[in-house]
Amino acid sequence: MISGLDGVVAAETILSDVDGQAGRLIIRGHSLDDLVTHSTYEDVLALLWEGLFKDSPSATDMLALLGQARQTVFVHLNAADTQLLGQPTLDAVRALVARLPDGDDVDSALQLVAAPAVFTPGILRLQNGLAPIQPSAKLNNAADMLHMLHGELPTSEQSASLDRYLVTASDHGLNASTFAARVVASTRAGLASATLAAMSALKGPLHGGAPGPVLDTLDSIGNAEDAIEWLEDALNRGERLMGFGHRIYRVRDPRADAIKQAIQHLADVGQVDPKRLQLAEAVETAALELLARKKPDRPLQTNLEFYTALLLEALGFPREAFTCVFAAGRAGGWIAHAREQTLNGRLIRPQSRYVGPKPRPQSPSEGSYVPVASNASASGSRSSVRSSGIPER
Ligand code: ACO
């Protein structure tokens, strides 16, 4: 058995390739460096979905279609009652995504990409006693997310940096959430089901839940001079340093640099707290030095999540919503993979190796198995229980 399916190839894809030795990400034949420089999130969405729907939108049409989809899903914020708003932001967003049609056409797909972009700012505002802001189909997805969060138009630097983040997060090989999406799609369930499974996998701190804890680390360290001691204590307690390490990359995650550049652009126009950036850089240097010393056999480098935390904080997202913003970018990739799986793949059904106890040989005195169900039906209960006391599944 291969622990964590490490190195196992479980799908063939034309969508993206992660080269962990060279530190390179390719999305449908384009390098990440090229995409973040020349393409918007809408362009990348059109690229990812090309040929996967009978009417896949062109890059030119995508801006308007995604804008219309944001306006379509906005109505679901009416269902955000007190109970839903009391949940963590990702759980509340996921609950609203579950209201969307479970189709496999391009309209369903557009709504699923629009959903986290609209529900995240809407829920955050409702949680703060503010009315949600109507989406604007004239803006691109990134600018509209910031507009719906703050109630005013973002600066061009702010929307460009969020757009760069969405492009960077859009697809990344067979990561845990994308695999979850493909497993669900392989059963021929709809795109909403695949997206919900993916969002649930993304939530964990070992995957898309890391950037919030990155800020907790920075807050807890407080001063650059205290970084080494704080991080060493954490490692000595057996904790993982959030924002470092990756299953595939043995060198620096190229997405970390793409996001660092976005922060630098914001910093250049005074839209990032310079002290916060200096602290993060000092913590990164200290963490890399310690990880190299303490885990010499495992090259552990900065991953996407470290500078994502700083970027989303500078853009005004609260840390509990960071994973939802990740979902707003990755949704495009999840849907592309789900469609690719449905069109070309088989049911994903691996095997497990049983290592539990064997059944005890039965002695004649133990008698034969008597289903308790017959007693249960006499007492009016419909549940079926084995004589061992283990409920039947
Ligand atoms: N801090 C300290 N040690 C680490 C870290 C880390 N961030 N990451 C891995 N290690 C160590 C492990 O403790 C282990 O050491 P050991 O062999 O002495 O026990 C060794 O490296 C290998 O760890 P694995 O868990 O086998 O590595 P895996 O490939 O499964 O881990 C993961 C990848 C989950 C991302 C891991 O590096 C981690 O937990 N990082 C912190 C959380 C994080 O930043 N997640 C975001 C990932 S990026 C993304 O999903 C978008």
Side-chain angles (χ1 to χ4, degrees):
M1 196 201 66
I2 297 170
S3 160
L5 299 183
D6 200 343
V8 172
V9 174
E12 281 198 341
T13 183
I14 56 165
L15 297 170
S16 59
D17 182 40
V18 182
D19 183 337
Q21 302 299 328
R24 212 169 30 224
L25 168 61
I26 291 171
I27 298 178
R28 291 203 79 162
H30 300 262
S31 73
L32 177 66
D33 290 350
D34 180 21
L35 291 175
V36 291
T37 315
H38 300 114
S39 306
T40 64
Y41 183 64
E42 282 79 358
D43 296 334
V44 174
L45 205 53
L47 181 70
L48 278 167
W49 291 3
E50 196 183 319
L52 295 175
F53 296 95
K54 66 174 172 11
D55 46 0
S56 296
S58 66
T60 322
D61 293 342
M62 190 58 93
L63 183 74
L65 289 173
L66 189 57
Q68 284 158 20
R70 286 195 302 277
Q71 292 180 323
T72 304
V73 301
F74 182 72
V75 67
H76 292 284
L77 281 166
N78 290 336
D81 58 14
T82 319
Q83 203 179 18
L84 187 137
L85 293 174
Q87 293 184 24
T89 316
L90 184 107
D91 297 356
V93 170
R94 189 177 52 187
L96 291 187
V97 172
R99 292 172 54 86
L100 299 181
D102 203 10
D104 55 13
D105 57 328
V106 79
D107 286 343
S108 306
L110 285 162
Q111 287 190 36
L112 287 162
V113 174
V118 173
F119 297 161
T120 305
I123 283 169
L124 288 170
R125 286 182 71 87
L126 287 166
Q127 285 173 331
N128 287 302
L130 299 167
I133 309 277
Q134 288 267 357
S136 161
K138 291 196 186 118
L139 298 174
N140 72 15
N141 211 45
D144 206 15
M145 279 180 80
L146 292 168
H147 159 244
M148 288 184 280
L149 180 67
H150 298 300
E152 57 189 40
L153 288 177
T155 65
S156 57
E157 291 85 5
Q158 287 167 331
S159 56
S161 62
L162 183 59
D163 187 55
R164 176 180 266 253
Y165 171 71
L166 297 178
V167 168
T168 303
S170 64
D171 199 38
H172 198 242
L174 204 55
N175 57 86
S177 56
T178 299
F179 186 49
R182 286 191 86 119
V183 169
V184 172
S186 84
T187 71
R188 303 290 185 267
L191 290 172
S193 296
T195 302
L196 287 162
M199 278 185 84
S200 305
L202 188 73
K203 176 179 168 179
L206 298 192
H207 188 12
V214 167
L215 289 192
D216 297 340
T217 303
L218 294 185
D219 289 346
S220 188
I221 292 174
N223 294 306
E225 313 79 76
D226 300 327
I228 282 274
E229 191 185 338
W230 191 100
L231 294 167
E232 190 155 21
D233 286 350
L235 286 176
N236 290 343
R237 288 192 301 270
E239 291 173 13
R240 290 180 177 218
L241 306 184
M242 290 293 140
F244 298 91
H246 197 272
R247 173 63 66 80
I248 308 289
Y249 291 118
R250 291 294 163 264
V251 294
R252 198 175 160 85
D253 182 340
R255 301 169 302 169
D257 288 329
I259 299 305
K260 178 88 191 283
Q261 281 167 22
I263 296 172
Q264 202 53 59
H265 291 155
L266 279 185
D268 291 346
V269 291
Q271 290 170 13
V272 177
D273 174 2
K275 287 208 184 100
R276 193 71 160 158
L277 183 53
Q278 279 158 18
L279 174 64
E281 285 170 341
V283 168
E284 183 190 20
T285 307
L288 293 176
E289 187 188 317
L290 272 173
L291 287 168
R293 179 149 47 91
K294 297 217 166 236
K295 306 266 176 192
D297 302 333
R298 175 89 178 180
L300 294 167
Q301 297 286 329
T302 316
N303 65 42
L304 163 71
E305 304 287 49
F306 189 77
Y307 283 109
T308 290
L310 236 67
L311 178 68
L312 298 186
E313 179 183 53
L315 292 174
F317 287 97
R319 63 191 74 182
E320 65 272 16
F322 288 176
T323 312
C324 305
V325 185
F326 193 165
R330 184 56 60 82
W334 290 333
I335 286 162
H337 279 268
R339 284 297 297 161
E340 187 178 49
Q341 182 67 39
T342 308
L343 293 173
N344 306 328
R346 287 178 74 203
L347 174 73
I348 297 175
R349 205 299 184 195
Q351 292 200 34
S352 50
R353 183 155 50 84
Y354 180 68
V355 293
K358 296 209 163 32
R360 277 186 303 137
Q362 231 178 28
S363 70
S365 62
E366 280 181 299
S368 55
Y369 166 69
V370 180
V372 182
S374 55
N375 299 340
S377 64
S379 68
S381 163
R382 301 187 65 188
S383 70
S384 165
V385 179
R386 289 177 196 271
S387 54
S388 64
I390 300 170
E392 268 181 18
R393 287 162 205 260

